[in-house]
Amino acid sequence: MIEIPRACLTADEIAEANLVEVIDHHKIGCLSTDLPISVRIMPVGCTCTIIYSLYKENNVEIPYEIAGLLLSAILSDTLIFKSPTTTEKDKEVALALAKIVNVDYEKYGMEMFKAGTSLDGFSIEEIVNMDFKEFDMSGKRVGIGQVMTLDIDAVLSKKEEFLAYINATEFDMLVLAVTDIINEGSYLIYKGEDKVISEAFSVNATQGVFAEGVVSRKKQLVPKLTDAVKNI
């Protein structure tokens, strides 16, 4: 299993999946197996950094196509090393993979984001739920969606449509972070109290406010919101 889901897996789901190994870079939730399995969890920015290490540890040559996929995943997960989740190991591995596929990782990364972050053709609901996770924060049901795009204006121009959808959900609080990887921050569209957003991100909370430097859900959005909800 790559990337453990936050939600607990049932015994039936694990049995059906025939789980034999876990490779991940997230915190461990609840995971139970009937038999011992191999587990490799490291505090790095991308699971593919760990997969690269496994190739090297087992003296297996990385094929060109696989190297390209691993590099793409690392650049995506670390936002071309701009995310606070990035480690020196991620950078080291990405540079090694870039040599295998003979690309300039920065140029390739930007081209990849341009191609992969277009939201043309997606509905409001699809964009909000594109990369969405649910959390329990001090007894409140909180949802956090994140979308990365180079066309920020196209999203913010539909702010009222996003708000209508978000406010109609059953979440106590829901935040959509529209992440701008060029300016290294996120525009926030949210359901919830302004004071929570202000407290969490040290901003004057208004719909579409820019939270400077906030690009990671795991390292920034979740802990900052968790603390703010707890304190207010």
Side-chain angles (χ1 to χ4, degrees), residues 172-191:
D172 296 311
M173 183 175 191
L174 193 155
V175 178
L176 174 64
V178 183
T179 300
D180 184 338
I181 63 172
I182 301 298
N183 294 311
E184 298 184 41
S186 294
Y187 296 87
L188 307 177
I189 303 173
Y190 57 91
K191 172 186 180 181

Side-chain angles (χ1 to χ4, degrees), residues 40-224:
R40 183 70 170 267
I41 297 176
M42 295 173 61
V44 292
C46 180
T47 296
C48 286
T49 297
I50 307 172
I51 293 175
Y52 172 90
S53 298
L54 293 173
Y55 268 101
K56 290 300 181 181
E57 289 168 13
N58 290 279
N59 295 314
V60 177
E61 183 177 352
I62 302 176
Y64 177 90
E65 293 81 3
I66 298 298
L69 291 172
L70 295 177
L71 175 62
S72 299
I74 293 170
L75 294 177
S76 176
D77 251 12
T78 65
L79 301 182
I80 317 178
F81 307 154
K82 293 180 180 180
S83 170
T85 60
T86 307
T87 66
E88 289 303 315
K89 183 66 174 178
D90 295 303
K91 295 178 182 178
E92 173 190 323
V93 169
L95 290 173
L97 291 167
K99 287 183 179 179
I100 294 175
V101 295
N102 192 29
V103 297
D104 178 316
Y105 77 84
E106 288 184 290
K107 182 179 179 181
Y108 171 71
M110 287 307 300
E111 290 175 349
M112 181 181 71
F113 273 105
K114 287 178 183 176
T117 61
S118 173
L119 300 176
D120 291 345
F122 290 98
S123 68
I124 297 296
E125 180 179 0
E126 287 172 331
I127 293 172
V128 172
N129 292 286
M130 194 171 287
D131 185 4
F132 187 88
K133 292 186 179 180
E134 181 176 338
F135 304 86
D136 182 304
M137 298 183 182
S138 299
K140 294 185 181 295
R141 187 183 176 205
V142 179
I144 303 177
Q146 184 174 24
V147 60
M148 299 176 190
T149 181
L150 298 180
D151 193 359
I152 299 296
D153 291 341
V155 177
L156 295 183
S157 67
K158 298 180 180 179
K159 182 171 62 179
E160 296 305 320
E161 295 176 58
F162 279 104
L163 271 174
Y165 173 78
I166 288 171
N167 286 329
T169 67
E170 296 182 354
F171 286 90
D172 296 311
M173 183 175 191
L174 193 155
V175 178
L176 174 64
V178 183
T179 300
D180 184 338
I181 63 172
I182 301 298
N183 294 311
E184 298 184 41
S186 294
Y187 296 87
L188 307 177
I189 303 173
Y190 57 91
K191 172 186 180 181
E193 297 180 80
D194 289 343
K195 60 184 179 181
V196 173
I197 299 297
S198 295
E199 170 78 14
F201 304 107
S202 301
V203 296
N204 181 16
T206 56
Q207 294 296 341
V209 66
F210 184 69
E212 186 175 356
V214 176
V215 295
S216 170
R217 177 167 48 203
K218 179 170 66 176
K219 283 287 187 76
Q220 295 170 309
L221 288 163
V222 173
K224 287 177 180 292

